[in-house]
Amino acid sequence: MFISCLFHILEDEIIKPYRMSNSERFDFKFYEWEKKFHDRPFLRQPFGDQWEEYTWAEAGQMARKLAKGLKSMGLRDDAHIGLISKNCREWIIADMAIMMAGYVSVPFFPSLKGEELEYLLDFGDVDLLFVGKIETWDDIGSHIPKDFPMIRFPHYRGCTVVDRGEEWFDFINRYQPLKEPHVPKLSDLWTIIFTSGTTGNPKGVELSYLTLDSTKIITEEVNPLKVDFSGNNDFISYLPLNHIVERVVVEHVCMRFGGSLSFVESIDSFAQNLKDIQPHVFFAAPRIWTKFQLGILAKVPQKKLDLLLKIPLVSGLIKKKLKKNLGLTRARSTVSGSAPIPVTQIEWFSKIGIYITNGYGMTENCAICTQVDGRDFGKLDSVGKPQCGVEVKIDPKTEEVLMRGPYVMDGYYKNEKMTKATLLDGWLHTGDKGYLDEDNYLYITGRVADSFKTSKGKFIEPLTLENYFGTIKELEEVCITGLGLPQPIALAQLSEIGKAVQKEELIGFLEEKLAAINADLENYKKISTLVLVKEEWTEQNKILGPTLKIKRGNVEKMYAAKYKGWHEDPKPVLFEK
């Protein structure tokens, strides 16, 4: 494996420029599976207890008709085609059609507000917009010009009715399939993905077909997803498809290596849909894993679970039942990413037979940098070793993590200044702080931008302190803050388990936990106050981003005026009034 990975590193340095100048074309494997799996299910959409299926051939024909229609509209060369919708079969077909027509996809988070979408449509030079399964048309519709070219997906129950634009089937059925789909060069722009804005305004990450094509190295060489190369792969798609991980690890891995792609009807049906699908590959953000864990513990308390897992015959039955109820009976690979996951959580899931691979990456490197297997018990507090084709080093002055490889973006759309600051001498400056150990495992200690200074002049790295709270099941989310205070403070949300505990009992318990955490910390890091906030942190109040990461800047906006009073309160644990 080492030799193979080394070859790909050398290939990136020596062969890549030649390949691009030689105009090598992107090999869209969908066409091969379309022929081989002509009548097999490809896209599976739930409607209550019923599932509607499009075969590989049906999806291919619809995409070709749609591509023909797009090309008939007189759009400019390399036109930018927007997509705003929750995950559904039409999203995938539209994405394929955009490529077949020779255009650039510009997907958006379906939770965008009207003014945010209005800005991105203009800044991203979007020529046409697909609007689909959304709940916010009443808001975003008023921010889209009346004459803006649009194609609307079929209406989904529970979503708002989109009352403008070409209707999906009417548009598609007017055209014959495109006979010669566009075959992009590896150097061509594949997509512009606007980041969620967790660390500021969204930036348009430009990814070429070379970056997408290069991702096959990972699966073909080391296969961390345990993909079946004969096409026996069932995937579930529920995290936003415009997010780089869902786009690469779910959509394009399915199209490259074959299988079926199933969707979720709604948040309410997620658990049942997942159980129905029992996917071979399952990716989730840490917040999802937390909800799984807390859901199990709400039914089977930790002490009882520990006891049952010690009984040999019972242990196997319990693990099997828990996996089935979660929908992970057939999972060959379970992955966490998009935000840090506590080591204690990976260890907890391993005890019930679920081994979580922790991946580290970002939109700017096609979500490929490092990973650690859930069975690598000695290194679970790391984010793993560099993946094939990836080099990682640490800036000695700032401790920033730098990486390079064939997966790195071309730059930020219409932002040369930011591009030059992020891509220096071929190295991507990730914005994360960390270190490499003697075995080349990477450890992330926080974000460069997240560090803040106390009034004593000491720098605090929130992520390091937040990790201490990972074992407290009474808390669902913790955010360390306190810019300008003498000591940091912790803001937290109660989990369902915590909400079930009597208030006085809970305060006493959390005071003990906070004292134990502080006992191991240097004086300037000791947390003065743990505040249990009232309002739930959601996408709607903008505390969470679309990928369920905390937007620290918005936490500051919501709570900063109360920091001083909370810090000066003599009680170490407070309920927000």
Side-chain angles (χ1 to χ4, degrees):
M1 187 180 81
F2 171 77
I3 297 297
S4 176
C5 291
L6 180 61
F7 169 77
H8 284 298
I9 292 173
L10 293 174
E11 180 186 44
D12 183 42
E13 294 297 313
I14 300 171
I15 300 177
K16 175 181 168 182
Y18 168 77
R19 285 168 57 179
M20 294 180 69
S21 63
N22 203 36
S23 302
E24 185 173 334
R25 303 285 174 165
F26 177 67
D27 183 14
F28 191 33
K29 291 293 182 181
F30 171 84
Y31 300 135
E32 293 182 19
W33 292 110
E34 181 186 23
K35 292 178 181 178
K36 186 174 182 179
F37 286 172
H38 188 270
D39 295 322
R40 287 200 196 179
F42 171 41
L43 304 176
R44 304 179 67 248
Q45 190 77 43
F47 295 91
D49 295 332
Q50 304 298 314
W51 288 81
E52 291 186 7
E53 297 177 341
Y54 286 163
T55 65
W56 284 81
E58 288 171 334
Q61 284 296 88
M62 292 179 73
R64 287 177 178 84
K65 288 182 177 182
L66 184 56
K68 180 75 171 182
L70 292 176
K71 288 183 70 65
S72 73
M73 299 181 73
L75 302 175
R76 63 189 170 108
D77 291 343
D78 303 317
H80 293 181
I81 311 298
L83 269 166
I84 183 164
S85 172
K86 291 184 177 181
N87 300 15
C88 59
R89 56 194 177 184
E90 289 82 13
W91 205 108
I92 303 296
I93 292 168
D95 195 28
M96 290 196 296
I98 293 168
M99 186 197 75
M100 290 176 177
Y103 300 139
V104 177
S105 59
V106 187
F108 303 113
F109 282 106
S111 58
L112 283 179
K113 304 296 183 185
E115 62 272 16
E116 295 170 327
L117 179 62
E118 181 181 18
Y119 167 77
L120 293 177
L121 289 176
D122 178 59
F123 181 79
D125 297 315
V126 175
D127 299 276
L128 177 143
L129 180 66
F130 284 100
V131 181
K133 189 180 179 185
I134 57 174
E135 299 169 356
T136 56
W137 173 250
D138 293 341
D139 172 33
I140 68 172
S142 62
H143 290 268
I144 300 174
K146 297 291 185 182
D147 59 348
F148 197 90
M150 279 178 37
I151 299 173
R152 65 182 191 270
F153 293 174
H155 179 254
Y156 282 87
R157 185 178 62 185
C159 295
T160 48
V161 176
V162 180
D163 56 4
R164 282 160 46 198
E166 293 266 16
E167 196 277 328
W168 175 262
F169 286 112
D170 288 347
F171 184 81
I172 287 177
N173 291 333
R174 287 206 299 269
Y175 300 96
Q176 293 298 313
L178 185 65
K179 291 183 179 180
E180 295 183 5
H182 175 74
V183 182
K185 299 176 185 176
L186 290 179
S187 56
D188 287 346
L189 184 60
W190 161 44
T191 190
I192 300 172
I193 297 180
F194 283 95
T195 62
S196 60
T198 304
T199 56
N201 290 326
K203 300 182 289 289
V205 178
E206 297 178 298
L207 296 172
S208 70
Y209 280 97
L210 177 65
T211 63
L212 177 60
D213 186 70
S214 297
T215 61
K216 66 186 179 185
I217 297 170
I218 308 300
T219 303
E220 291 175 350
E221 298 300 331
V222 294
N223 198 13
L225 299 177
K226 310 295 188 295
V227 170
D228 184 296
F229 295 127
S230 65
N232 179 31
N233 305 293
D234 291 330
F235 296 86
I236 181 173
S237 178
Y238 71 99
L239 292 174
L241 263 166
N242 65 302
H243 187 261
I244 188 61
V245 173
E246 193 77 358
R247 196 97 179 274
V248 171
V249 174
V250 178
E251 179 190 15
H252 279 280
V253 167
C254 182
M255 288 196 282
R256 178 173 289 282
F257 298 102
S260 69
L261 186 56
S262 301
F263 301 95
V264 169
E265 186 170 20
S266 66
I267 293 175
D268 294 336
S269 70
F270 170 73
Q272 186 58 51
N273 291 155
L274 179 57
K275 281 192 275 189
D276 291 342
I277 296 163
Q278 298 286 338
H280 291 115
V281 176
F282 181 72
F283 173 87
R287 191 175 176 88
I288 300 295
W289 290 112
T290 297
K291 287 188 177 294
F292 282 175
Q293 181 183 15
L294 295 176
I296 291 171
L297 292 177
K299 295 178 180 178
V300 187
Q302 189 68 61
K303 288 184 179 180
K304 183 177 180 180
L305 182 60
D306 290 340
L307 178 62
L308 293 173
L309 291 174
K310 289 178 181 178
I311 306 171
L313 291 177
V314 175
S315 176
L317 293 173
I318 288 292
K319 291 177 182 179
K320 187 175 181 180
K321 185 174 182 180
L322 291 176
K323 286 183 181 180
K324 183 178 181 181
N325 288 340
L326 288 176
L328 301 178
T329 300
R330 300 193 301 159
R332 305 186 201 113
S333 178
T334 48
V335 185
S336 179
S338 87
I341 183 172
V343 178
T344 52
Q345 198 163 60
I346 300 177
E347 293 172 337
W348 187 91
F349 275 100
S350 70
K351 291 177 182 177
I352 62 171
I354 296 172
Y355 300 94
I356 300 173
T357 293
N358 188 19
Y360 166 67
M362 54 201 300
T363 309
E364 286 85 343
N365 58 24
C366 229
I368 293 177
C369 189
T370 66
Q371 66 175 34
V372 59
D373 190 280
R375 292 177 173 81
D376 197 351
F377 298 114
K379 301 287 187 177
L380 292 181
D381 51 342
S382 76
V383 291
K385 285 186 172 183
Q387 300 194 64
C388 283
V390 172
E391 293 178 85
V392 174
K393 68 178 183 179
I394 307 299
D395 187 310
K397 294 181 180 179
T398 64
E399 300 178 18
E400 184 176 9
V401 178
L402 313 181
M403 70 80 62
R404 67 178 177 181
Y407 320 107
V408 174
M409 67 174 181
D410 291 346
Y412 293 115
Y413 187 65
K414 296 198 309 192
N415 197 334
E416 187 176 353
K417 182 179 180 182
M418 181 66 73
T419 298
K420 288 181 177 179
T422 307
L423 298 176
L424 294 172
D425 300 322
W427 291 91
L428 172 68
H429 287 239
T430 66
D432 291 310
K433 297 178 70 173
Y435 65 91
L436 292 163
D437 70 7
E438 64 280 3
D439 298 317
N440 209 33
Y441 280 79
L442 178 64
Y443 293 76
I444 302 296
T445 58
R447 291 284 299 171
V448 174
D450 287 345
S451 299
F452 63 87
K453 188 183 288 188
T454 67
S455 61
K456 297 176 181 178
K458 297 288 188 178
F459 278 99
I460 301 295
E461 293 182 352
L463 178 60
T464 304
L465 296 180
E466 287 163 2
N467 286 336
Y468 284 96
F469 292 84
T471 59
I472 304 176
K473 301 302 179 289
E474 289 74 11
L475 302 179
E476 184 166 314
E477 198 88 58
V478 175
C479 179
I480 297 294
T481 186
L483 174 66
L485 295 177
Q487 301 290 143
I489 62 175
L491 309 184
Q493 284 198 298
L494 288 175
S495 66
E496 292 302 317
I497 292 175
K499 292 174 183 176
V501 181
Q502 292 292 324
K503 185 175 180 179
E504 294 306 316
E505 180 185 347
L506 180 66
I507 289 175
F509 169 77
L510 292 176
E511 285 179 349
E512 290 180 8
K513 289 291 185 180
L514 183 60
I517 290 170
N518 281 334
D520 294 328
L521 297 175
E522 296 175 71
N523 285 334
Y524 76 91
K525 294 181 180 178
K526 293 184 187 297
I527 298 160
S528 72
T529 315
L530 171 60
V531 183
L532 304 172
V533 300
K534 289 188 299 184
E535 188 172 351
E536 184 180 358
W537 293 343
T538 66
E539 281 188 71
Q540 286 65 43
N541 59 23
K542 297 187 177 181
I543 296 298
L544 296 183
T547 56
L548 306 182
K549 287 184 282 191
I550 291 178
K551 293 191 171 188
R552 296 182 187 273
N554 289 346
V555 170
E556 295 286 331
K557 291 177 184 177
M558 182 175 287
Y559 299 108
K562 299 180 179 181
Y563 286 175
K564 187 172 183 292
W566 286 337
H567 166 71
E568 293 176 349
D569 195 298
K571 297 187 288 292
V573 177
L574 302 173
F575 277 82
E576 183 187 10
K577 297 178 180 178

